[in-house]
Amino acid sequence: MQIGPYLITVTFAANVPAPDTSPPSTIFFNPNTNLPDPRLAVVQPLTPLASNFPPLAFQAQKVAVQALHATGLPVDESDYLAIGAGLGSFVWADLLRISGVPTEKIIALGLEAEPYARYKRLCLNSQIPLYERLRSNSDSCPDNIWGWPSYALREAWHDFSKGQINPAFKYLWQVFAEPTFAETYTPRAGNVFDSIDREAKRISWNQIYRYGRVRGIRKTDDGRYCVAYSRGPGNYAFLVSRYLHLATGYPAIQFLPDLQAYREKYQDFQSVVNAYEAHDHVYEQLEQQGGTVLIRGRGIVASRIVQRIYEARKRNPNIAVLHLMRSPKPQGNKFQNTQRLVKNHYEFQPFNWPKACWGGELRAMLEKATPDERKRLLADWGGTTTADRHDWQQITAQGLSEGWYQITFGEVLDVERDAQNRTITHIREQSLGEMKLLADFIVDATGLDAKVDANPLLADLVKHYTSQLTTWGD
Ligand SMILES: Cc1cc2nc3c(=O)[nH]c(=O)nc-3n(C[C@H](O)[C@H](O)[C@H](O)COP(=O)(O)OP(=O)(O)OC[C@H]3O[C@@H](n4cnc5c(N)ncnc54)[C@H](O)[C@@H]3O)c2cc1C
């Protein structure tokens, strides 16, 4: 199943099969709170697999619409059905509304009424407060298909009207000169969410959105799609639709196997955390008592965590960071005549893919490529990178020169806890051999899991219709 770079998948424990703890381990989402719940990775699924919903009729390749009615459960119909009701669903529904489709012909089924609810939560958890800037650029406007006026123009106008002339000109200069002569402009998270709220109101999203946890998707015998969903405990229903859009976000938080093993062994969900979980307690304790944090991963999330610790150090300078990386990064990825910049073992790229992958010549190249070539191209263009932000580079350089930020390379052998409840990471360093790294907290900043099989809804769809996956298993 091929998915766009930002149309990603998420899932919930409600119909999560017994978890596979083989690497990479995952954290599942608590179906009651829709929040990551590390404990669900080691307990039984909340909805037993033997649950009698969806009904037996869903075992057919093509479900007879009559069989749905025969269950006696509510069956609704719509022309357009978006599953997820997150940002992907919102953008699709917005486009349909702009194209003239009336509200009553579109349904978006999901778990949270605000289309950005999950995205906002992941941003806040990974230390992007509302005033901080996202990664995508000025004309990436989920509220506005034309990308005009862009976020830079809107922010410049806002600041200009408040008499703040210099920042207003700075944003305009950025969009004019980026990325060669200026740092790429990126919008503040809060401005993006507010703009989505305005567009949601304009297209009557509240009439499009319906609460529902989708349990299964099938083709019908009359050429449509049907969806079995739950509206609450024991409250089941079906929706039959002509067009179906699926955008369920990231299925799970990716967790390094040794850290997952530590959490399971010590039942310690406080000292070892994933950057996408709520973990503000880490910074609160550091600000009060000082301490050492070990960071794993060197992408954009790690950059934000270092920035957050830099801010915490202004309240308590007694905080140190050990950044553990698997291997040095002496030079950046090369593609044709271009090469990515590397500083202090961080590799830079404004977005997670080069911009031309979305609509420019790289997209055309990708479309023409064979599966093997495509795999090579994506490996060259993607990988772990962070945004080319001068403030982050300045923080890293300052931390290294002042000694509170250190980078260590090594392969992790094991993570355990000492008598003082501190974590000990045993690593094998290339020249020094085995070493121990002591830390009060470990933050896993290695990302989110986008694999189809981590999402039971998608996994079921792929299995039921024996769909072909990409070479990555997506
Ligand atoms: C920290 C962070 C920063 C990011 N920065 C950027 C950025 O700068 N620019 C950018 O363009 N993108 C960014 N992204 C990516 C962006 O969040 C995603 O591209 C976007 O949210 C994907 O949309 P989606 O609809 O697929 O998933 P989501 O927005 O996550 O929505 C999916 C929804 O599906 C619901 N759902 C899942 N399973 C079911 C089910 N079985 N039944 C019913 N509902 C279900 C979930 O509750 C969720 O609300 C960022 C992501 C993160 C985490």
Side-chain angles (χ1 to χ4, degrees):
M1 183 182 295
Q2 296 204 345
I3 46 177
Y6 280 125
L7 281 186
I8 38 193
T9 56
V10 72
T11 198
F12 303 88
N15 47 3
V16 173
D20 173 6
T21 45
S22 58
S25 297
T26 51
I27 291 184
F28 294 99
F29 288 87
N30 184 318
N32 300 317
T33 59
N34 200 14
L35 295 170
D37 188 338
R39 284 154 302 183
L40 293 183
V42 289
V43 298
Q44 287 302 308
L46 292 187
T47 303
L49 288 176
S51 159
N52 57 4
F53 188 81
L56 276 180
F58 261 56
Q59 285 178 7
Q61 285 293 297
K62 291 191 176 169
V63 175
V65 177
Q66 209 44 43
L68 300 178
H69 287 284
T71 62
L73 296 170
V75 183
D76 281 344
E77 299 200 358
S78 74
D79 281 358
Y80 301 92
L81 173 60
I83 296 179
L87 277 187
S89 303
F90 176 76
V91 171
W92 187 59
D94 192 35
L95 190 59
L96 291 173
R97 292 285 290 114
I98 291 166
S99 313
V101 179
T103 323
E104 57 275 12
K105 288 192 186 267
I106 315 168
I107 292 176
L109 262 190
L111 297 146
E112 291 176 275
E114 285 168 341
Y116 52 76
R118 188 164 137 69
Y119 176 31
K120 181 178 176 182
R121 191 165 48 249
L122 290 173
C123 284
L124 292 175
N125 287 351
S126 63
Q127 305 304 308
I128 310 180
L130 298 181
Y131 58 82
E132 255 296 342
R133 294 182 184 278
L134 298 171
R135 191 173 194 177
S136 57
N137 64 342
S138 175
D139 54 349
S140 280
C141 304
D143 65 309
N144 176 344
I145 59 164
W146 293 276
W148 174 269
S150 67
Y151 285 123
L153 205 57
R154 294 184 227 177
E155 192 174 355
W157 177 248
H158 173 268
D159 284 13
F160 186 77
S161 63
K162 297 254 178 284
Q164 293 166 347
I165 315 291
N166 285 347
F169 275 111
K170 184 183 158 220
Y171 306 140
L172 297 179
W173 164 249
Q174 276 184 279
V175 281
F176 175 72
E178 69 185 27
T180 312
F181 301 110
E183 191 176 300
T184 300
Y185 170 91
T186 60
R188 291 185 198 278
N191 288 349
V192 172
F193 303 142
D194 289 347
S195 72
I196 295 173
D197 275 339
R198 285 192 295 273
E199 182 66 357
K201 197 167 169 206
R202 197 185 71 82
I203 64 164
S204 306
W205 173 256
N206 60 349
Q207 290 169 39
I208 293 171
Y209 167 76
R210 274 195 210 174
Y211 176 83
R213 181 185 311 281
V214 176
R215 301 289 200 86
I217 303 167
R218 294 287 181 266
K219 290 179 185 169
T220 59
D221 59 355
D222 62 1
R224 292 184 288 169
Y225 297 95
C226 71
V227 159
Y229 70 104
S230 84
R231 306 191 282 199
N235 182 355
Y236 301 128
F238 301 102
L239 260 163
V240 179
S241 184
R242 186 159 302 282
Y243 301 102
L244 187 126
H245 181 271
L246 190 54
T248 47
Y250 295 99
I253 287 175
Q254 188 163 291
F255 225 102
L256 288 166
D258 54 88
L259 296 182
Q260 183 70 6
Y262 170 95
R263 284 166 51 120
E264 284 173 25
K265 182 172 174 190
Y266 296 99
Q267 288 295 299
D268 175 4
F269 303 104
Q270 296 291 307
S271 331
V272 173
V273 295
N274 187 288
Y276 283 109
E277 292 177 279
H279 66 282
D280 285 350
H281 68 273
V282 171
Y283 310 103
E284 283 157 18
Q285 182 177 319
L286 289 172
E287 285 172 6
Q288 281 163 17
Q289 302 170 23
T292 302
V293 184
L294 188 144
I295 300 177
R296 311 266 301 264
R298 57 175 130 181
I300 191 158
V301 187
S303 299
R304 281 189 219 111
I305 302 297
V306 175
Q307 180 192 7
R308 178 67 185 86
I309 294 171
Y310 170 79
E311 284 156 13
R313 289 192 82 259
K314 289 183 184 154
R315 298 201 177 90
N316 186 343
N318 194 19
I319 304 173
V321 179
L322 292 173
H323 201 153
L324 178 58
M325 301 180 184
R326 221 166 293 165
S327 53
K329 184 87 199 172
Q331 56 172 10
N333 275 17
K334 285 184 189 156
F335 177 69
Q336 293 177 345
N337 298 326
T338 58
Q339 181 168 20
R340 291 202 297 233
L341 182 70
V342 170
K343 278 187 200 163
N344 294 317
H345 308 282
Y346 287 90
E347 190 166 359
F348 302 110
Q349 177 156 277
F351 316 117
N352 47 2
W353 304 98
K355 202 173 165 185
C357 289
W358 278 277
E361 58 192 276
L362 297 188
R363 176 178 164 172
M365 192 183 282
L366 202 60
E367 281 171 353
K368 277 194 215 125
T370 62
D372 281 344
E373 280 165 4
R374 188 171 301 142
K375 194 173 177 185
R376 260 197 312 278
L377 289 174
L378 290 175
D380 285 346
W381 301 338
T384 304
T385 58
T386 189
D388 191 0
R389 274 179 54 164
H390 297 151
D391 56 343
W392 288 347
Q393 289 163 32
Q394 165 62 30
I395 289 171
T396 312
Q398 188 181 331
L400 286 169
S401 72
E402 291 174 358
W404 56 265
Y405 174 76
Q406 287 175 31
I407 299 176
T408 308
F409 305 103
E411 183 202 340
V412 173
L413 303 172
D414 188 24
V415 184
E416 56 176 14
R417 189 157 76 170
D418 71 7
Q420 286 79 43
N421 287 342
R422 284 162 53 101
T423 65
I424 309 174
T425 304
H426 296 269
I427 63 164
R428 188 177 297 117
E429 211 264 1
Q430 237 181 10
S431 48
L432 301 171
E434 287 193 15
M435 282 172 62
K436 281 185 200 173
L437 303 176
L438 239 72
D440 299 286
F441 295 105
I442 300 179
V443 180
D444 182 340
T446 54
L448 292 153
D449 191 345
K451 291 269 181 295
V452 161
D453 57 8
N455 180 326
L457 180 68
L458 300 185
D460 166 74
L461 200 59
V462 168
K463 192 168 158 223
H464 195 78
Y465 292 108
T466 49
S467 310
Q468 234 192 330
L469 299 180
T470 66
T471 31
W472 278 273
D474 298 335

